Amino acid sequence: MPRSLSLLCRVIISDGVNFMQAMLAQQHSPLVDSEQIKRHSIISLKEFVCNPLQNRKILILLNFDVVQVDVDSKIGTPASLENSNSPAAASPSTLSVSAVKPELKQEPRNDYNSNFSSGNAANMALDANVTGISNLNPYQTRWHIKARVTQKSDIKKWHNSKSDGQLFSVHLLDSSGEIKATIFTDQVDRFYNLLEEGKVYYISKARVTMARKQFSTLNNEYELIFENGTEIQACEEASNIPQVKYNFVKIADIDKCEKDSNCDVLGVVTEDMGVSEIITKSTGRPLKKRELTLADDSLKTIRITFWGNQAEQFDASGSPVIACKGVRVNDFSGRSLSLSSSAICKVNPNIPEATRLKQWYADKGASSQFNSYSGMVGVSGEGITKRSKITLQEAKDEKLGMGDKPDYFEVRAALAYAKTENFAYAGCPECKKKITLESNGWRCEKCQKTYPTPDYRYILTASIEDATAQIYINMFDDQAKMLMGMSANELMAIKESDNQAAIAAISKMLFNRYNFKLRAKQETYNDITRTKFTCVDLTPVNFIKDSHELIASIDKLIDV
């Protein structure tokens, strides 16, 4: 079948002093056909775009008025702007069209070879009428976007009693926003090898539909479906399209994010728990996972989980900075993050924020004291939220932890007792599970490896009390490390050389006051049911800040 043809008009414009090459936007091509604009015609330029092309600049004339059509000769004796130091003649003014040259443009067919055209003239014409991604909606019929592919998924196939098929998706970005595009069945073979991550394309004639939020991490109400008539054209001039767009949230502010929402986070990997394997409930198949600890200059840490190939391939050596886009916010035992297959993770990205964070960590972050992340439970239904401090007796009176789900609360209390025996366990250096001493070393049954030395991790039993009551709590490695000011390996080394010195180090922490964030949950062991309290975070008491809080509470009581 013959291809349809349309005209692109290249012109030379002059202000009487200089001249330069330009191109009419496609909607103005009929003016040439109807001879409403000719050689030497005079126009008043109102709107334009200036595009670089092979060390030259070419104007795209977007909006202008025709002042005079029939003019006998050009105005003045203009010189080429490329060889002149004069200011550009591109300001809105009265210009003379020195020449009009129609050029044939072949419209692409819907086949493999015609989906891409690298003609610079065609690219400039398309630039003139680009629609921003943020402006797309299902009610538009004619649009095209200029966007960068920031992520391309693997091809996924399905087989069931109704149908067989395949699909993949891409994330598209321009300066106005992002959108997900999904490609199904026959279109997969057509587009998969043509779309490459990092490259820019003109895309049109795709279907705009409501986004399926459960499958997307992007902040857009719509998504695209590529169909048989979808047209894609490669773009070489792409300096105005960003590589990636982040909206980073500080780790200390992630408790403000809703459960199951998505956010972007930038952090230094301070701990790698290694790769482990779980059996998924939905499919019963094994799935690899890797848990990392991230920190940033807000002096908070948070746990992030990688899955599948991302978990197996990630290299945490050298404390890299990672930028994660579209990670899921979880609320299990405090805030944590999950990197789904549709999220993006860049290691040591070349962005200013990552450079600053890496420099901060090298200068002073590595020696800083971090608080582990454990935001209070919000509207997720995981338990009762107690954002303001309560007393231990109030926690008992309200029977926190006795429901079906755990409760979280905060209390200001003093450490009254800490167990000095069995305060740590011998852990696997890779998976952190408990390991046992054998004749040839420390054996991890999970990893099926033997190590010369274990990685000790705290499991501390302590008693805390305030003016109203006393409870026993359990503290794990992150929290006990903040309490003791040293790692379990360091304290075990002291214990092995001088047991009394280790007891003294633990006793030194007694009767100091802390703000504890606690998890309360009933557990049954040997037919005995009791409420177990677990410390999920602690910070030393800031007496000035807490005094202001007490004064504010008293003022409220007086007002009442």
Side-chain angles (χ1 to χ4, degrees):
M1 293 180 63
R3 302 183 181 185
S4 60
L5 301 177
S6 62
L7 290 175
L8 289 176
C9 295
R10 182 165 56 86
V11 301
I12 297 175
I13 58 174
S14 162
D15 62 357
V17 178
N18 296 108
F19 69 84
M20 68 182 297
Q21 294 195 43
M23 182 169 290
L24 300 183
Q26 193 167 5
Q27 67 267 27
H28 298 309
S29 296
L31 296 177
V32 178
D33 296 337
S34 60
E35 296 189 344
Q36 296 180 55
I37 186 170
K38 302 178 181 177
R39 181 182 176 89
H40 303 321
S41 292
I42 298 175
I43 62 172
S44 177
L45 183 59
K46 295 181 176 180
E47 189 176 356
F48 63 90
V49 173
C50 186
N51 276 1
L53 176 62
Q54 298 177 350
N55 299 322
R56 294 183 300 168
K57 292 183 177 180
I58 295 182
L59 288 187
I60 298 175
L61 310 186
L62 302 178
N63 187 11
F64 57 85
D65 291 332
V66 179
V67 177
Q68 188 173 347
V69 178
D70 296 310
V71 179
D72 293 335
S73 61
K74 64 183 179 182
I75 300 174
T77 55
S80 173
L81 188 62
E82 297 177 17
N83 302 320
S84 170
N85 294 323
S86 302
S91 57
S93 59
T94 301
L95 303 173
S96 171
V97 180
S98 300
V100 179
K101 181 181 179 181
E103 294 184 349
L104 289 179
K105 173 195 171 186
Q106 294 183 323
E107 295 292 345
R109 293 185 306 183
N110 294 323
D111 59 23
Y112 182 92
N113 294 319
S114 64
N115 278 303
F116 288 82
S117 171
S118 58
N120 289 312
N123 285 358
M124 288 188 294
L126 288 171
D127 278 342
N129 298 293
V130 164
T131 300
I133 285 177
S134 62
N135 294 325
L136 291 178
N137 64 73
Y139 309 104
Q140 291 174 292
T141 56
R142 298 184 64 183
W143 54 264
H144 67 270
I145 60 174
K146 179 182 179 181
R148 187 183 304 277
V149 176
T150 59
Q151 184 188 36
K152 185 175 78 169
S153 73
D154 295 330
I155 296 176
K156 301 177 182 178
K157 298 186 179 182
W158 75 85
H159 305 277
N160 55 45
S161 58
K162 296 182 179 178
S163 65
D164 297 338
Q166 58 182 349
L167 65 87
F168 79 96
S169 63
V170 292
H171 289 180
L172 303 172
L173 168 71
D174 68 8
S175 57
S176 71
E178 297 173 276
I179 194 167
K180 178 182 178 181
T182 307
I183 300 90
F184 292 95
T185 55
D186 294 341
Q187 307 309 316
V188 172
D189 297 329
R190 180 183 169 203
F191 289 120
Y192 189 79
N193 292 326
L194 300 181
L195 293 170
E196 298 181 35
E197 282 191 11
K199 293 192 175 181
V200 178
Y201 304 89
Y202 297 104
I203 300 172
S204 62
K205 298 182 182 179
R207 176 159 53 94
V208 183
T209 184
M210 296 300 297
R212 296 170 296 172
K213 291 294 187 179
Q214 68 271 33
F215 301 117
S216 177
T217 61
L218 301 183
N219 183 25
N220 197 320
E221 293 298 318
Y222 304 110
E223 63 182 44
L224 298 178
I225 304 295
F226 286 7
E227 300 179 314
N228 186 53
T230 298
E231 296 179 359
I232 299 179
Q233 180 174 313
C235 174
E236 296 179 358
E237 304 294 336
S239 59
N240 60 333
I241 304 296
Q243 294 288 334
V244 66
K245 182 182 291 185
Y246 294 105
N247 185 21
F248 291 123
V249 177
K250 289 288 186 182
I251 292 177
D253 294 331
I254 291 180
D255 61 345
K256 300 175 184 177
C257 301
E258 293 185 6
K259 179 180 179 292
D260 294 330
S261 63
N262 297 310
C263 71
D264 303 343
V265 66
L266 180 74
V268 181
V269 178
T270 60
E271 187 176 9
D272 180 5
M273 312 296 183
V275 177
S276 59
E277 188 175 87
I278 64 169
I279 303 299
T280 59
K281 293 180 180 179
S282 58
T283 64
R285 296 176 181 175
L287 178 64
K288 300 290 186 181
K289 79 169 192 174
R290 182 192 294 268
E291 291 189 348
L292 306 169
T293 299
L294 289 186
D296 67 7
D297 52 8
S298 65
L299 297 182
K300 274 280 191 180
T301 63
I302 193 168
R303 187 179 74 256
I304 183 170
T305 305
F306 286 23
W307 303 94
N309 291 334
Q310 291 176 316
E312 294 184 89
Q313 297 170 5
F314 185 80
D315 182 7
S317 59
S319 298
V321 172
I322 62 173
C324 300
K325 183 174 181 60
V327 292
R328 184 80 64 182
V329 178
N330 299 324
D331 204 355
F332 179 74
S333 296
R335 283 288 194 261
S336 61
L337 302 173
S338 179
L339 190 79
S340 65
S341 59
S342 58
I344 299 174
C345 178
K346 300 291 185 182
V347 179
N348 293 323
N350 186 22
I351 56 176
E353 297 93 333
T355 303
R356 286 194 295 268
L357 183 61
K358 196 172 187 67
Q359 186 63 47
W360 169 83
Y361 189 75
D363 291 343
K364 56 184 179 180
S367 59
S368 298
Q369 188 72 34
F370 291 92
N371 294 327
S372 64
Y373 201 91
S374 56
M376 292 288 97
V377 178
V379 294
S380 62
E382 292 291 336
I384 299 174
T385 299
K386 293 287 183 182
R387 292 194 177 274
S388 59
K389 295 183 180 70
I390 62 174
T391 65
L392 291 174
Q393 189 60 49
E394 286 176 324
K396 292 182 176 182
D397 292 343
E398 295 180 24
K399 295 181 170 44
L400 298 185
M402 294 187 182
D404 294 333
K405 298 178 180 179
D407 294 321
Y408 294 81
F409 64 98
E410 187 173 346
V411 64
R412 183 189 303 111
L415 186 72
Y417 165 78
K419 191 176 180 180
T420 57
E421 296 294 329
N422 301 322
F423 56 80
Y425 71 91
C428 173
E430 294 187 22
C431 71
K432 312 304 179 186
K433 299 295 184 182
K434 190 174 182 179
I435 58 179
T436 56
L437 180 61
E438 297 181 350
S439 59
N440 60 339
W442 293 86
R443 178 68 176 174
C444 176
E445 293 301 326
K446 179 176 179 59
C447 298
Q448 294 293 303
K449 294 181 181 180
T450 301
Y451 303 93
T453 57
D455 180 24
Y456 286 101
R457 297 177 67 82
Y458 283 112
I459 180 168
L460 188 64
T461 300
S463 169
I464 63 172
E465 61 182 31
D466 62 8
T468 64
Q470 172 270 337
I471 62 170
Y472 281 93
I473 65 171
N474 291 323
M475 302 178 70
F476 294 104
D477 194 62
D478 287 342
Q479 294 74 35
K481 193 183 298 182
M482 286 188 288
L483 176 74
M484 296 301 303
M486 67 177 77
S487 68
N489 284 327
E490 293 171 318
L491 188 56
M492 284 298 296
I494 295 174
K495 178 180 173 65
E496 290 171 359
S497 61
D498 187 349
N499 185 55
Q500 291 302 315
I503 293 174
I506 296 174
S507 300
K508 186 180 179 181
M509 300 297 106
L510 299 183
F511 310 114
N512 292 327
R513 291 178 176 269
Y514 299 91
N515 290 319
F516 293 91
K517 291 180 181 177
L518 302 176
R519 176 184 185 268
K521 183 70 174 71
Q522 270 197 343
E523 293 186 357
T524 301
Y525 182 73
N526 287 340
D527 296 328
I528 299 175
T529 300
R530 63 183 181 89
T531 301
K532 181 178 179 180
F533 296 95
T534 303
C535 177
V536 294
D537 195 13
L538 82 158
T539 55
V541 173
N542 184 328
F543 290 98
I544 296 175
K545 180 182 177 182
D546 284 14
S547 296
H548 287 310
E549 290 179 358
L550 287 172
I551 292 171
S553 300
I554 294 171
D555 289 341
K556 288 182 180 179
L557 292 174
I558 294 174
D559 292 339
V560 174

Short mmCIF file of all heavy atoms in Angstrom, two decimals, residues 321 349-360:
data_model
loop_
_atom_site.label_atom_id
_atom_site.label_comp_id
_atom_site.label_asym_id
_atom_site.label_seq_id
_atom_site.Cartn_x
_atom_site.Cartn_y
_atom_site.Cartn_z
N VAL A 321 25.60 4.15 48.04
CA VAL A 321 24.40 4.97 48.13
C VAL A 321 23.42 4.47 47.08
O VAL A 321 23.80 4.30 45.92
CB VAL A 321 24.72 6.46 47.89
CG1 VAL A 321 23.43 7.28 47.79
CG2 VAL A 321 25.60 7.00 49.01
N PRO A 349 24.06 6.60 42.11
CA PRO A 349 23.64 7.38 40.93
C PRO A 349 24.39 8.70 40.84
O PRO A 349 24.81 9.27 41.85
CB PRO A 349 22.14 7.62 41.21
CG PRO A 349 22.03 7.60 42.70
CD PRO A 349 23.04 6.57 43.17
N ASN A 350 24.55 9.17 39.62
CA ASN A 350 25.26 10.42 39.38
C ASN A 350 24.30 11.61 39.50
O ASN A 350 23.95 12.26 38.51
CB ASN A 350 25.91 10.39 37.99
CG ASN A 350 26.80 11.60 37.75
OD1 ASN A 350 27.27 12.25 38.69
ND2 ASN A 350 27.02 11.93 36.49
N ILE A 351 23.87 11.86 40.74
CA ILE A 351 22.99 12.99 41.02
C ILE A 351 23.55 13.75 42.21
O ILE A 351 24.23 13.16 43.06
CB ILE A 351 21.54 12.53 41.30
CG1 ILE A 351 21.50 11.53 42.46
CG2 ILE A 351 20.91 11.93 40.06
CD1 ILE A 351 20.08 11.11 42.86
N PRO A 352 23.30 15.06 42.31
CA PRO A 352 23.89 15.85 43.41
C PRO A 352 23.53 15.34 44.79
O PRO A 352 24.36 15.33 45.70
CB PRO A 352 23.33 17.26 43.16
CG PRO A 352 22.96 17.28 41.71
CD PRO A 352 22.53 15.90 41.37
N GLU A 353 22.28 14.90 44.97
CA GLU A 353 21.85 14.44 46.30
C GLU A 353 22.68 13.23 46.76
O GLU A 353 23.06 13.13 47.93
CB GLU A 353 20.37 14.07 46.29
CG GLU A 353 19.43 15.21 45.99
CD GLU A 353 19.09 15.31 44.50
OE1 GLU A 353 19.92 14.87 43.68
OE2 GLU A 353 18.01 15.82 44.19
N ALA A 354 22.95 12.31 45.83
CA ALA A 354 23.74 11.13 46.18
C ALA A 354 25.18 11.49 46.50
O ALA A 354 25.79 10.94 47.42
CB ALA A 354 23.68 10.11 45.04
N THR A 355 25.74 12.42 45.74
CA THR A 355 27.11 12.86 45.99
C THR A 355 27.24 13.49 47.37
O THR A 355 28.19 13.21 48.11
CB THR A 355 27.54 13.87 44.91
OG1 THR A 355 27.42 13.26 43.62
CG2 THR A 355 28.98 14.30 45.13
N ARG A 356 26.26 14.35 47.74
CA ARG A 356 26.30 14.99 49.05
C ARG A 356 26.17 13.96 50.17
O ARG A 356 26.88 14.04 51.18
CB ARG A 356 25.19 16.03 49.16
CG ARG A 356 25.45 17.31 48.37
CD ARG A 356 24.49 18.41 48.77
NE ARG A 356 23.12 18.08 48.44
CZ ARG A 356 22.52 18.41 47.31
NH1 ARG A 356 23.20 19.08 46.38
NH2 ARG A 356 21.28 18.09 47.08
N LEU A 357 25.26 13.00 49.99
CA LEU A 357 25.05 11.99 51.04
C LEU A 357 26.29 11.12 51.21
O LEU A 357 26.68 10.80 52.34
CB LEU A 357 23.83 11.13 50.70
CG LEU A 357 23.44 10.08 51.75
CD1 LEU A 357 23.08 10.75 53.08
CD2 LEU A 357 22.28 9.22 51.26
N LYS A 358 26.92 10.73 50.12
CA LYS A 358 28.12 9.90 50.19
C LYS A 358 29.25 10.64 50.90
O LYS A 358 29.98 10.06 51.71
CB LYS A 358 28.55 9.47 48.79
CG LYS A 358 29.53 8.31 48.77
CD LYS A 358 29.75 7.81 47.36
CE LYS A 358 30.58 6.53 47.35
NZ LYS A 358 29.89 5.39 47.96
N GLN A 359 29.39 11.94 50.61
CA GLN A 359 30.43 12.75 51.24
C GLN A 359 30.14 12.89 52.74
O GLN A 359 31.06 12.80 53.57
CB GLN A 359 30.51 14.12 50.57
CG GLN A 359 31.66 14.98 51.07
CD GLN A 359 33.01 14.35 50.75
OE1 GLN A 359 33.25 13.91 49.64
NE2 GLN A 359 33.90 14.29 51.74
N TRP A 360 28.86 13.12 53.09
CA TRP A 360 28.48 13.24 54.50
C TRP A 360 28.79 11.96 55.25
O TRP A 360 29.32 11.99 56.37
CB TRP A 360 26.99 13.57 54.60
CG TRP A 360 26.46 13.44 56.00
CD1 TRP A 360 26.52 14.37 57.00
CD2 TRP A 360 25.82 12.29 56.57
NE1 TRP A 360 25.96 13.87 58.15
CE2 TRP A 360 25.52 12.60 57.92
CE3 TRP A 360 25.47 11.04 56.07
CZ2 TRP A 360 24.88 11.71 58.76
CZ3 TRP A 360 24.83 10.15 56.91
CH2 TRP A 360 24.54 10.48 58.23
#
